[in-house]
Amino acid sequence: MRKARKPSSSTTTTTTTTGGGGGGAAAAMRVIVPLQGVVQGRGGLFLGTVIPCALFYFLQLYFKSRGGGGGSRRRTQPPPPSEMETLSPGNSSSSSGLQRVHSRTLISPRGAGAPAHVSSRANAVLKQSDGPYYEGMKRVEEDPFDPTRNPNGVIQLWLAENRLSLNLVQEWLADHATGSITGRELSVSRAATYQPFDGLMDLKTAVANFMSQVTERPLFFNPAQIVLTTGATPAIEILVFSLSDPGNAFLVPSPYCPDLDADVKWRTGVEIIPVPCRSADGFNLSITALDRAFNQAKKRGLKVRGVILSNPSNPVGILHNRETLYSLLDFAAEKNIHIISNELYVGSKSKSNQENHDEFVSMSEIIESEEFDKNRVHIVYSLSDDLSLVGFKTGLIYTHNENVLSAAQKLSRFSSISVPTQHLLISMLSDEKFVRQSIDFCRERLRNIYIEFAKGLKKLGIECMKGGGRGFYCWADMSGLISPYSEKGEIELWEKLLTMVKINVLPGSSCRCVEPGWFGLCFSTLSEKDIPLVMRRIQKVLGTCKSSS
């Protein structure tokens, strides 16, 4: 074992400093003392004393101006007693009382430093939290209407949700849910292990058959061309991601559902170019307007990659006829772009306008029967609305394009449906009696509620869009009640409805409607008993509007 060398007194000096300048003086002396010997040897006693002293003085000034820097380490004042602890003999191996200094608070005090970083993408999303959509949702969450528990709460007429056949779903679940999830057909090894992200083939087959039923057309949907997702939102986002690049754009006829802005833009970096549709044309899509919007986007340097069409339209509730769809397909082929056909509410169309002899036509029917390029058409559908299963979050992509299909299958890993949910839906959709009953019951309820709701508004002098009624909205013209006739006047009326009588409705400006005064009122969340209450509340606001006009 080596013995520790005893430090020599001639070579070791202990210096105690008490402040910022002491360290600088010691450093200066280490320079001055050798220099003094050199100067004395050459210039005599006088120069050997004056020159080093002057140099010492200037070095002192330099170190003081640097705050004690220049190679010397600044001593830290001892921490206050509150930041020190004395180690008791029982807690330390040393018999003497040692002091523990909380140096962590001295090095990095809590609450100090810059705020935690958030990405520019997240900040862009945070900026979207303003406006009627989020304000209305917040008010509903804080004070939701309930006919028995909170009859004076906020009535939600903004959010499109079908609650009209919840009782049928509840009855079916009470009789079949346990067997569907825990029965023989669903072993633990199948439920608790990885399954295909894009969905079980049995569910794809069941959904394909259901789609054929709700369209009421002799259509065949190939299950192998289906990708299942957790609702329509990820289905649309996956298609936008697969068909375009950041900075590209999609044309979307307006008015359109406000959620589409988030679905398309938030995570893909893709823009939406609204294509204005007007009340004089029944809010029908015009190919002339499409072409104008396409050229305007081109002038702005935006590459248009496709058109997103809702059929039935949401929130207006009109059906696009065959001629419109044919023209749209020709337009897509001419411009070399894609079509995303959002057919969410096909099974929820009421029969309140049978006198118009209109019909729903799926894009799938047209591309199967005509010589159109199937690779340009992609269909989005969801079970959530037609079967009152919003919480089950089940949507799909249907496409003939093999590249898009392959990409969507891989991207579905971010939005895969839980296996127990899939097996429950397989059992539900395989029950033909329940499916037929649900479709007929839902359409009948939608028809009755829509008729009563539209009648109530008409008595108040508010007209609903003629030819509407598909889907869940009554698209109402309240332009005669706003002042001034502008988006500002429209938002002021929306605020009155929300604050004065606690009704949250959908203002047309949130849907990019170019005509002020149109509002969407979702009637599928109401019962027949709720309609008179809604009308009484609206009437209170109308009185203030008439008196102020």
Side-chain angles (χ1 to χ4, degrees), residues 261-421:
D261 283 319
D263 299 349
V264 172
K265 299 163 63 173
W266 275 10
R267 298 200 297 182
T268 64
V270 174
E271 293 296 322
I272 283 181
I273 306 296
V275 181
C277 301
R278 302 182 180 277
S279 59
D281 302 320
F283 289 104
N284 284 294
L285 176 62
S286 164
I287 300 301
T288 302
L290 267 179
D291 191 60
R292 186 183 304 114
F294 182 91
N295 292 330
Q296 289 174 350
K298 189 175 181 181
K299 290 180 181 178
R300 292 170 51 190
L302 293 174
K303 181 71 174 179
V304 175
R305 291 297 185 184
V307 179
I308 301 177
L309 181 73
S310 293
N311 190 24
S313 66
N314 182 30
V316 178
I318 62 171
L319 294 171
H320 297 288
N321 58 38
R322 289 179 180 272
E323 292 304 319
T324 299
L325 300 182
Y326 285 142
S327 299
L328 180 58
L329 287 165
D330 290 335
F331 178 82
E334 177 188 346
K335 304 298 184 182
N336 191 24
I337 60 178
H338 292 264
I339 297 174
I340 298 177
S341 183
N342 188 359
E343 301 179 1
L344 291 189
Y345 301 106
V346 53
S348 301
K349 59 184 177 65
S350 67
K351 299 179 180 179
S352 58
N353 294 285
Q354 291 180 343
E355 66 276 8
N356 295 333
H357 303 289
D358 52 5
E359 61 173 353
F360 170 77
V361 181
S362 173
M363 271 290 187
S364 179
E365 178 182 352
I366 293 180
I367 61 177
E368 291 290 347
S369 60
E370 303 289 343
E371 294 297 326
F372 288 104
D373 186 358
K374 297 180 180 179
N375 289 321
R376 297 186 187 278
V377 178
H378 320 278
I379 295 173
V380 172
Y381 179 69
S382 173
L383 292 175
S384 302
D385 302 303
D386 288 341
L387 288 177
S388 296
L389 297 174
V390 176
F392 281 62
K393 304 297 292 181
T394 306
L396 64 85
I397 297 169
Y398 185 72
T399 180
H400 291 270
N401 190 310
E402 290 299 326
N403 290 330
V404 174
L405 179 64
S406 180
Q409 288 171 340
K410 293 177 173 63
L411 290 169
S412 64
R413 66 183 296 116
F414 301 110
S415 62
S416 57
I417 307 169
S418 72
V419 176
T421 299

Side-chain angles (χ1 to χ4, degrees), residues 11 13 40 42 87 194 208 251 295 300 304 325 445 482 507 532:
T11 58
T13 304
Q40 283 182 348
R42 294 188 178 184
L87 296 178
Y194 279 119
L251 304 178
N295 292 330
R300 292 170 51 190
V304 175
L325 300 182
R445 287 294 308 280
I482 65 173

